[in-house]
Amino acid sequence: MQKAIGALQDQVAQKSSIALQAGLDPNGGHPGQVLVKLLDKVTKQVFFQYYAPPEQVVKSAQSNAGAALPPGSVVSSKA
């Protein structure tokens, strides 16, 4: 999972002022899901926050390896 998250972070970081943060739900309210956040690199303001199934995160990272991340690819399935 960490490898997939790192790949997604690298893809989002390419020529962008937006950063992607992802990890397990810190509050435990969404067990087994990944909390995905898009935020401004400078101000750290969160623009978007979503819980996604880990399979979707891994699938997005693998299918877009080495390319810019298409909009909506991480959150294209319901959590």
Side-chain angles (χ1 to χ4, degrees):
M1 179 55 65
Q2 285 292 55
K3 188 175 183 179
I5 290 170
L8 290 172
Q9 288 171 328
D10 290 344
Q11 292 170 18
V12 170
Q14 295 174 2
K15 300 180 184 175
S16 177
S17 62
I18 296 174
L20 179 138
Q21 288 183 348
L24 296 178
D25 175 23
N27 301 323
H30 300 276
Q33 295 185 3
V34 178
L35 175 59
V36 178
K37 292 182 183 181
L38 293 176
L39 56 134
D40 185 274
K41 286 181 182 178
V42 177
T43 66
K44 306 297 183 203
Q45 177 184 1
V46 176
F47 297 121
F48 183 78
Q49 178 173 303
Y50 189 81
Y51 292 94
E55 301 84 22
Q56 186 63 31
V57 174
V58 172
K59 181 180 172 185
S60 293
Q62 291 173 343
S63 65
N64 298 304
L69 198 62
S73 65
V74 177
V75 295
S76 61
S77 69
K78 297 260 182 203

